C-alpha cells in the first residue's frame, strides 16, 4: 500500500505537533546562541566543492555566465568551508542554521535536505563544545516539554552528565580490540593488524577491506549499538586517519581532537579541534578524494580558497549538529520526515 503524501490532511495533522515542537526548539536554540554573543551567519549553499570526505555525496549543478559558459558547482554538504573563511576574515564566534544537502541518503534518520546547526568558537578548546552539547540537549527537552530524549523505545536522560569514552576504550570494551596497536605515531595504519583482531572478535572481514572499512564495521556493529542509552555518550579521540578536518592531540598524535555526540544510539553531532595547516589539509583531502575515486568512480574539486583561508585561521573549535535528529529525539518522533515541514518528493527514494 502506498503511503499518503506528506501534504495529506490527516498525515499533516499527525506530524503537526512535531513540527511545532521543531519551531519552538529552533527559537530556543537561537536564543541560547544569542545570549552567548554568537553572530548568526548564512553560508552560501552553492560552492565549488561540496566537501572532501570520501563517503559524502553532493548534489551537482552548474552556473551559467551571460554568454552561456558553464561553471560546475555543488550544493554544500555542510557550511564548514564558508564558515572557516568567515573566521579567517575575523569572525570569532559564529553559528549557522544551515540548509545542507547530501545525496545517497534517505531513511528514518537521513533526509537528502536537512538543517545543520554548526557553530565555531575561536581560541577555545574543543572540550567547550562538549559542554555546549549538554546545554542544548537539556534545552531541547525542556522546550519540548519532556524529561528525556527517546528513540525506538530507548531513553536518554539529558540531566545526567554524558559518558566520555575514547575510541580506544570503546573498541577494547565492546569488541576486545586494541585499536591503537594498529595506528603508528605518524598516523599510518596497519590494515592486517586490525583485520586479525577484528576476525578474532567475530567481525567479518573481506580481502579488499581497507583499514578504514574494518574500523567502520567494528564501529557500526559493536560500538554504536551501546552508545547514548540512559545518558548521552561523547565518543572522542578518533584515529587521525578518521578525522580529516581535525588537528592531532598534542598528548598523542595517533588520535585527533574529534568527538561525536550520541543519544539513544543516534549520532547527533560531530566536533573538531579544527586543523589549520593548509599543507596537511591538502594532503588529507587528496587522500580522501583518491579513496572516493577508488570506491565510487568520482571525486570532488578541492576548494583552493579554503586552503588559503586556513593559513589565516586562528585556533578554533567547531561542531555540526543534526537539528532534525535533535528535534526527533526531544519531541518523541519516529521518523525524520515527521519533523521536516516539506519533505523531498518520494521519487528520490
Amino acid at each position: 500500500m502506498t503511503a499518503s503524501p506528506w501534504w495529506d490532511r490527516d498525515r499533516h495533522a499527525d506530524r503537526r505537533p512535531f513540527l511545532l515542537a521543531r519551531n519552538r526548539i529552533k527559537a530556543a536554540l537561537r536564543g541560547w546562541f544569542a545570549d552567548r554573543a554568537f553572530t548568526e551567519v548564512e553560508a552560501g549553499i552553492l560552492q565549488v566543492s561540496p566537501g572532501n570526505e570520501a563517503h559524502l555525496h553532493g548534489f551537482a549543478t552548474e552556473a551559467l555566465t551571460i554568454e552561456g559558459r558553464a561553471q560546475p558547482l555543488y550544493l554544500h554538504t555542510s557550511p564548514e568551508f564558508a564558515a572557516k573563511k568567515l573566521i579567517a576574515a575575523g569572525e570569532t564566534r559564529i553559528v549557522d542554521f544551515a540548509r545542507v544537502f547530501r545525496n545517497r541518503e534517505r531513511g528514518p534518520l537521513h533526509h537528502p535536505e536537512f538543517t545543520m546547526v554548526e557553530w565555531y568558537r575561536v581560541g577555545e578548546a574543543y572540550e567547550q563544545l562538549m559542554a555546549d552539547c549538554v546545554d542544548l540537549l537539556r534545552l531541547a527537552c525542556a522546550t519540548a516539554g519532556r524529561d528525556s530524549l527517546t528513540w525506538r523505545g530507548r531513553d536518554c536522560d539529558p540531566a545526567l552528565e554524558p559518558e566520555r569514552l575514547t575510541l580506544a576504550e570503546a573498541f577494547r570494551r565492546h569488541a576486545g580490540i586494541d585499536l591503537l596497536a594498529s595506528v603508528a605515531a605518524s598516523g599510518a595504519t596497519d590494515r592486517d593488524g586490525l583485520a586479525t583482531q577484528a576476525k578474532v572478535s567475530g567481525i567479518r572481514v573481506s580481502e579488499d577491506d581497507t583499514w578504514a572499512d574494518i574500523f567502520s564495521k567494528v564501529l557500526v556493529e559493536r560500538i554504536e549499538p551501546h552508545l547514548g542509552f540512559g545518558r548521552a555518550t561523547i565518543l572522542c579521540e578518533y584515529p587521525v586517519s578518521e578525522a580529516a578536518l581535525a588537528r592531532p592531540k598534542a598528548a598523542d598524535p595517533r588520535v585527533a581532537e574529534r568527538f561525536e555526540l550520541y543519544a539513544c544510539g543516534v549520532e547527533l553531532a560531530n566536533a573538531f579541534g579544527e586543523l589549520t595547516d593548509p599543507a596537511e589539509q591538502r594532503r588529507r583531502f587528496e587522500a580522501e578524494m583518491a579513496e572516493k575515486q577508488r570506491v565510487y568512480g568520482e571525486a570532488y574539486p578541492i576548494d583552493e580558497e579554503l586552503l588559503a583561508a586556513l593559513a589565516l585561521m586562528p585556533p578554533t573549535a567547531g561542531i555540526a549538529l543534526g537539528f532534525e535528529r535533535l528535534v526527533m529525539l526531544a519531541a518523541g518522533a519516529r521518523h525524520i520526515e515527521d519533523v521536516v515541514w516539506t519533505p523531498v518528493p518520494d521519487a528520490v527514494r
Side-chain angles (χ1 to χ4, degrees):
M1 181 177 178
T2 303
S4 57
W6 61 262
W7 44 265
D8 175 83
R9 279 180 176 263
D10 290 338
R11 185 173 176 190
H12 181 67
D14 289 340
R15 297 193 311 124
R16 195 167 189 271
F18 300 126
L19 296 168
L20 295 180
R22 173 197 175 102
N23 286 4
R24 295 194 302 272
I25 293 170
K26 189 174 186 180
L29 265 59
R30 275 203 159 105
W32 187 92
F33 285 108
D35 289 345
R36 288 155 182 79
F38 279 82
T39 298
E40 186 171 338
V41 302
E42 294 181 347
I45 289 171
L46 291 172
Q47 298 288 329
V48 298
S49 173
N52 294 112
E53 295 179 54
H55 302 294
L56 279 184
H57 303 280
F59 286 86
T61 185
E62 62 182 16
L64 298 177
T65 66
I66 294 174
E67 298 81 14
R69 293 195 303 273
Q71 175 192 355
L73 290 173
Y74 299 86
L75 307 186
H76 66 180
T77 59
S78 161
E80 181 169 5
F81 290 3
K84 288 181 174 178
K85 294 171 189 175
L86 286 171
I87 292 169
E91 296 293 338
T92 59
R93 190 175 284 192
I94 59 176
V95 61
D96 191 352
F97 288 77
R99 303 297 293 178
V100 300
F101 305 83
R102 296 189 177 184
N103 224 336
R104 298 196 184 195
E105 295 191 12
R106 191 146 198 171
L109 292 170
H110 295 88
H111 196 255
E113 177 182 358
F114 63 99
T115 302
M116 181 177 285
V117 185
E118 189 155 314
W119 68 100
Y120 293 83
R121 291 177 173 271
V122 172
E124 299 186 62
Y126 94 129
E127 286 83 1
Q128 176 58 48
L129 302 175
M130 300 179 185
D132 292 347
C133 288
V134 173
D135 283 353
L136 295 180
L137 291 183
R138 293 171 179 172
L139 178 60
C141 267
T143 303
R146 293 163 55 88
D147 295 327
S148 64
L149 302 156
T150 60
W151 170 247
R152 293 186 170 177
R154 303 296 293 272
D155 294 334
C156 173
D157 185 349
L160 300 176
E161 283 298 310
E163 173 189 31
R164 186 166 169 179
L165 184 66
T166 69
L167 264 295
E169 291 168 339
F171 268 60
R172 184 166 52 251
R173 178 188 302 176
H174 298 300
I177 291 174
D178 184 351
L179 176 64
L180 295 183
S182 68
V183 183
S186 65
T189 54
D190 175 7
R191 183 267 178 204
D192 291 342
L194 183 59
T196 298
Q197 291 195 74
K199 290 175 183 176
V200 170
S201 184
I203 302 293
R204 184 175 179 179
V205 177
S206 301
E207 288 301 317
D208 59 350
D209 279 343
T210 64
W211 185 95
D213 293 331
I214 301 166
F215 172 89
S216 294
K217 286 182 177 182
V218 177
L219 183 63
V220 170
E221 294 179 24
R222 297 295 179 84
I223 311 303
E224 289 185 333
H226 299 282
L227 303 181
F229 297 111
R231 59 175 172 156
T233 299
I234 291 172
L235 188 64
C236 60
E237 297 186 16
Y238 280 67
V240 289
S241 62
E242 296 300 308
L245 293 150
R247 60 181 173 242
K249 283 186 69 71
D252 187 348
R254 295 176 298 173
V255 298
E257 291 188 354
R258 176 188 176 189
F259 77 81
E260 290 193 327
L261 172 70
Y262 287 82
C264 306
V266 177
E267 178 205 337
L268 291 177
N270 190 15
F272 304 135
E274 302 292 349
L275 180 66
T276 56
D277 179 338
E280 175 61 14
Q281 188 66 83
R282 181 186 297 279
R283 185 193 69 77
R284 294 189 190 183
F285 279 166
E286 289 175 347
E288 288 285 316
M289 290 302 91
E291 177 67 3
K292 188 174 189 67
Q293 185 68 46
R294 182 187 73 83
V295 176
Y296 301 108
E298 65 172 345
Y300 299 137
I302 290 173
D303 185 339
E304 294 294 338
E305 286 192 352
L306 169 67
L307 297 180
L310 290 183
L312 304 174
M313 187 174 159
T316 301
I319 183 169
L321 181 147
F323 178 66
E324 282 84 1
R325 290 187 179 184
L326 176 62
V327 174
M328 283 176 60
L329 271 58
R334 297 166 298 176
H335 196 289
I336 195 168
E337 292 186 12
D338 289 338
V339 297
V340 174
W341 276 97
T342 62
V344 173
D346 291 346
V348 304
R349 289 186 190 272

